Amino acid sequence: MTPRQQAPRLSLTVGPVLYYWPRNSLVAFYADIADSPADTVVLGEVVCSRRHEMKPDDWLDLARDLRSAGKEVVLASQALLESEAELRATRRLAAQDDFLVEAGDASALRALAGRPFVLGPHINIYSHPALREYAQLGAVRWVAPVELSLESLALINPPGALAVETECFGFGRLPLAFSARCFTARHYRLSKDECAFRCIEHPDGLLLSSTEGEPFLALNGIQSLSAAQHCLLGDGPALRAAGVTRLRLSPCAQGFGQVLDCFDRVLNRGEPLAPALETLDALALPGGLVNGYAHRRPGLEWSQRTDHAEAAL
Amino acid sequence: MPEQAPLRDTERAPRKPQLVCPAGSLRALTLAVDAGADAVYLGLKDATNARNFAGLNFDLGQAREGIAHAHARGAHVLMALNTFADAREPERWWRAVDHAAALGADALICADVAVLAYAHRKHPQLRLHLSVQASATTYEAIEFYRERYAIQRAVLPRVLTLSQVGHLLRHSSVEIEVFGFGSLCVMVEGRCALSSYATGQSPNTAGVCSPASAVRWEEGPQGVDARLNGVLIDVYAPHEPRGYPTLCKGRFEVEGRRDYAIEEPTSLNTLAVLPELMRLGVAAIKIEGRQRSPAYVEQVTRVWRAAIDHCASQPGRFSVRPEWTATLGRFAEGQQHTLGAYDRPWR
């Protein structure tokens, strides 16, 4: 047995679908997830409450199906709330106790206080005392803000210090910002209230490039993401050393099954990195791969030094 | 745990809001106070505040002097400690809290629960204001911070419409502060990592956005290129006025169209809705711009002082005076104004 095969399993979490996908696409996507190596699935609309292909009860039905298929299911609350209706939806999520809830913001925290819950990636936790505050409230898992380095993760949640699991954003377009403005509607010269749901035409967001044609960001309604795929496939040892026990893989419209397989093969079954990286690099999305944040670098940078770390093992 | 009930709808009395002005330097503080600011806000010279720019902010001696000047004239001083304590050195933030208390600051403006918890525990007499960087956009979120850290005021992110601000105010038991004027951050404050994506430094991590150290100006084939750590943020024609290359206010290509895809360089100006803000019971109006010149601070403070006083004395007859608009226009980014999210077109 090689040392890498003895390493504890890095659980794989399928993050919420950040884009507006037609109902049939979502149903087909989650049918595939049910048969995938994913350990946990996060369900729900976290970006825009106007999106209505799935109703709250539809998500709950899906949650039960996935649980029957052996997956842990987490229901996520919306990240940016503005209206009473959005608050009601958050309270409804918090009122059910069939499934763990992932808090998108402090509005959800008030409703979840005193019971186990997950801290979503947009709750700002940048130090150990901050995480301790939320642990006292009942947090059992935190998804680290994407801009933090693995070095910071290890300081914020030193293994064994708190009964909180660390989940790290491991793959996909990085959710970088939220706005009052809907950029998709703005691009089509539509108002936010009458957006015609144009984001359904862009299952991986709307690509934004620099004037010289370099892919930079992806616009997804009120959300801005990186154009590039954040990818920590080569960082298994560093992730484990930082106390990370779960990796979040953020869905893309094509090839996500391959993504899950690649991460499971390399991180949990000791298969080689290079061919898996080639597979991910060949996915249809523009923008290439980045991993800068993990190494305390600008997020858009890519470093292969993890390959050397692997070679040294 | 049972579901928590929504807060009761309560009627707020109209009130004359405090005018809260930026002080990036002792000179700016003095001018703001003398021009009629009810309160000024300032930060220390390090990453503990969200405007961590070279040449800005206060050392302890200057802070002491500034607070003495303000207090002698009946104005309050609010200390911005609104970045997130760095995991490598959170003690720096606790020290800043202790300094603020020792200096006699009238309130701390904080976003980080770790900083709020420390301040609440160590200095229970010190007023706590929830910074806009905490991204609290609902009364439930604000209530979370009030219940746990006894915040007495919350600054709202610039994402809500007027009617949403009103709804929040009716359900909130703390004072509410809104932005009145200044550079418009189109993203929800505290929820934006675009700057660290491009440069490694962001408002949350370092108190900076699109830091100057990452900016490069280069002669390119179509004019002058503005780059942020290599990313082409904008290209200016030879005689075109050049803005600072803030990431979200650059020109980019989306589906073959080059445009300000995220936001134009423009300023927020809410003078036109001042009577409405006062009717809703807003406790304070904040002017943005600690990075701006003392002249900006003085002139903008004078305009808003006059407007608030005028509106408070004759709420039914308030109208925006052309000279106010002209003065504010001179200091607006790109000489453009917007009501931002307060206005329907954004919806």
Side-chain angles (χ1 to χ4, degrees):
Chain A
M1 231 183 170
T2 69
R4 295 178 75 250
Q5 283 169 322
Q6 288 170 343
R9 179 174 174 80
L10 262 175
S11 298
L12 301 178
T13 300
V14 177
V17 171
L18 300 176
Y19 313 101
Y20 193 29
W21 291 358
R23 188 190 170 83
N24 290 343
S25 305
L26 276 173
V27 169
F29 176 81
Y30 285 113
D32 289 346
I33 294 296
D35 291 330
S36 76
D39 300 274
T40 300
V41 185
V42 185
L43 297 179
E45 173 56 56
V46 298
V47 175
C48 176
S49 61
R50 283 179 56 75
R51 298 172 174 180
H52 59 303
E53 291 274 305
M54 295 282 280
K55 303 273 188 291
D57 284 345
D58 298 333
W59 288 116
L60 282 171
D61 288 346
L62 193 49
R64 284 186 277 267
D65 290 350
L66 284 163
R67 184 158 65 188
S68 306
K71 307 299 179 195
E72 183 201 30
V73 174
V74 177
L75 302 177
S77 77
Q78 202 176 305
L80 168 60
L81 306 181
E82 296 180 24
S83 70
E84 191 63 40
E86 290 165 350
L87 274 178
R88 277 196 299 273
T90 302
R91 286 187 204 112
R92 254 199 316 271
L93 269 189
Q96 63 76 41
D97 43 23
D98 271 0
F99 300 98
L100 208 50
V101 174
E102 178 168 305
D105 91 325
S107 326
L109 290 178
R110 179 162 186 266
L112 288 167
R115 55 172 274 197
F117 66 90
V118 180
L119 293 154
H122 307 295
I123 291 180
N124 285 329
I125 295 162
Y126 286 77
S127 68
H128 178 67
L131 184 60
R132 203 172 49 215
E133 285 295 306
Y134 295 112
Q136 286 167 1
L137 208 65
V140 293
R141 186 182 300 166
W142 71 301
V143 187
V146 296
E147 66 179 356
L148 287 176
S149 67
L150 296 183
E151 177 200 350
S152 288
L153 264 52
L155 290 169
I156 295 168
N157 193 20
L162 296 169
V164 177
E165 293 179 289
T166 298
E167 180 167 316
C168 175
F169 197 90
F171 178 84
R173 288 187 152 164
L174 289 158
L176 294 172
F178 290 93
S179 176
R181 173 169 267 176
C182 174
F183 303 116
T184 308
R186 177 175 147 91
H187 174 72
Y188 292 112
R189 310 286 194 249
L190 296 166
S191 75
K192 192 169 159 188
D193 285 348
E194 281 156 33
C195 65
F197 308 104
R198 295 290 293 268
C199 53
I200 206 163
E201 297 164 15
H202 303 282
D204 289 299
L206 191 52
L207 183 68
L208 176 150
S209 300
S210 75
T211 303
E212 55 197 349
E214 199 62 44
F216 180 38
L217 302 176
L219 305 177
N220 173 39
I222 61 163
Q223 185 181 49
S224 303
L225 302 116
S226 64
Q229 309 288 326
H230 180 69
C231 177
L232 301 188
L233 186 62
D235 295 79
L239 286 162
R240 289 188 168 94
V244 174
T245 56
R246 316 182 135 261
L247 213 53
R248 172 160 299 204
L249 313 179
S250 188
C252 49
Q254 300 294 328
F256 190 69
Q258 287 168 279
V259 172
L260 268 166
D261 276 337
C262 285
F263 274 82
D264 191 50
R265 287 204 311 267
V266 173
L267 296 175
N268 290 328
R269 290 193 268 145
E271 292 188 20
L273 171 63
L277 270 181
E278 277 171 35
T279 304
L280 296 185
D281 217 7
L283 288 177
L285 289 173
L289 301 178
V290 297
N291 62 4
Y293 276 141
H295 309 293
R296 200 176 286 289
R297 306 282 308 160
L300 52 66
E301 292 187 4
W302 170 248
S303 100
Q304 294 272 13
R305 75 189 164 95
T306 49
D307 290 345
H308 306 308
E310 183 185 55
L313 279 172
Chain B
M1 177 137 174
E3 183 185 350
Q4 297 201 26
L7 299 178
R8 208 155 37 86
D9 195 338
T10 49
E11 205 49 53
R12 283 205 183 220
R15 62 195 291 175
K16 183 171 176 178
Q18 264 194 353
L19 175 59
V20 181
C21 295
S25 66
L26 190 52
R27 173 91 181 129
L29 180 150
T30 307
L31 290 172
V33 168
D34 295 352
D38 297 305
V40 292
Y41 60 103
L42 56 81
L44 298 176
K45 278 183 183 295
D46 62 18
T48 61
N49 83 88
R51 287 287 184 278
N52 178 25
F53 299 154
L56 268 198
N57 301 322
F58 290 70
D59 61 27
L60 294 180
Q62 292 164 336
R64 196 170 290 115
E65 202 177 323
I67 289 170
H69 181 89
H71 284 178
R73 285 154 186 81
H76 287 167
V77 176
L78 319 176
M79 179 96 86
L81 263 168
N82 52 353
T83 51
F84 293 84
D86 190 313
R88 291 168 298 180
E89 200 203 355
E91 299 76 17
R92 177 191 286 267
W93 276 257
W94 318 156
R95 280 198 301 273
V97 171
D98 294 337
H99 285 318
L103 286 163
D106 297 283
L108 288 184
I109 310 170
C110 306
D112 186 345
V113 291
V115 178
L116 288 163
Y118 178 85
H120 183 46
R121 191 172 67 242
K122 280 285 167 66
H123 306 284
Q125 79 293 349
L126 193 54
R127 267 179 76 93
L128 294 176
H129 292 186
L130 188 68
S131 167
V132 68
Q133 299 292 130
S135 317
T137 54
T138 69
Y139 60 84
E140 291 278 25
I142 290 167
E143 196 63 13
F144 168 78
Y145 290 100
R146 189 193 64 77
E147 285 172 350
R148 289 187 72 77
Y149 309 110
I151 60 153
Q152 295 180 56
R153 181 184 291 183
V155 187
L156 296 189
R158 286 162 276 190
V159 298
L160 303 175
T161 62
L162 261 182
S163 79
Q164 287 170 341
V165 171
H167 184 75
L168 184 149
L169 267 155
R170 283 191 297 278
H171 290 79
S172 184
S173 54
V174 305
E175 297 175 358
I176 297 298
E177 179 171 318
V178 299
F179 276 84
F181 182 81
S183 189
L184 180 66
C185 185
V186 73
M187 301 303 180
V188 186
E189 293 89 341
R191 293 278 186 91
C192 181
L194 291 178
S195 178
S196 64
Y197 182 65
T199 73
Q201 293 187 301
S202 79
N204 286 3
T205 58
V208 292
C209 171
S210 309
S213 57
V215 174
R216 295 283 176 276
W217 300 94
E218 293 167 359
E219 292 290 336
Q222 283 123 33
V224 175
D225 295 349
R227 288 182 189 274
L228 196 65
N229 192 25
V231 180
L232 188 59
I233 299 299
D234 214 335
V235 179
Y236 298 95
H239 300 292
E240 199 178 5
R242 295 177 206 169
Y244 183 85
T246 307
L247 215 153
C248 60
K249 292 172 182 170
R251 280 177 285 195
F252 300 100
E253 263 179 34
V254 179
E255 292 189 320
R257 192 171 78 216
R258 181 172 177 267
D259 200 355
Y260 293 105
I262 299 176
E263 174 61 315
E264 283 93 5
T266 182
S267 283
L268 177 73
N269 181 2
T270 63
L271 262 191
V273 294
L274 181 58
E276 186 67 4
L277 290 171
M278 285 172 63
R279 197 184 60 75
L280 293 173
V282 161
I285 291 182
K286 187 181 210 94
I287 307 298
E288 190 273 349
R290 279 190 287 150
Q291 74 284 20
R292 305 291 296 266
S293 69
Y296 161 98
V297 174
E298 182 183 32
Q299 301 278 325
V300 174
T301 301
R302 276 195 202 294
V303 168
W304 277 85
R305 176 76 279 151
I308 290 172
D309 289 348
H310 177 63
C311 193
S313 63
Q314 298 173 300
R317 294 175 52 200
F318 178 82
S319 63
V320 178
R321 293 188 181 152
E323 65 267 27
W324 296 343
T325 302
T327 302
L328 295 182
R330 280 202 300 281
F331 292 107
E333 203 175 332
Q335 280 79 53
Q336 296 184 75
H337 288 186
T338 171
L339 274 166
Y342 293 111
D343 198 14
R344 291 303 295 173
W346 266 38
R347 308 294 304 167

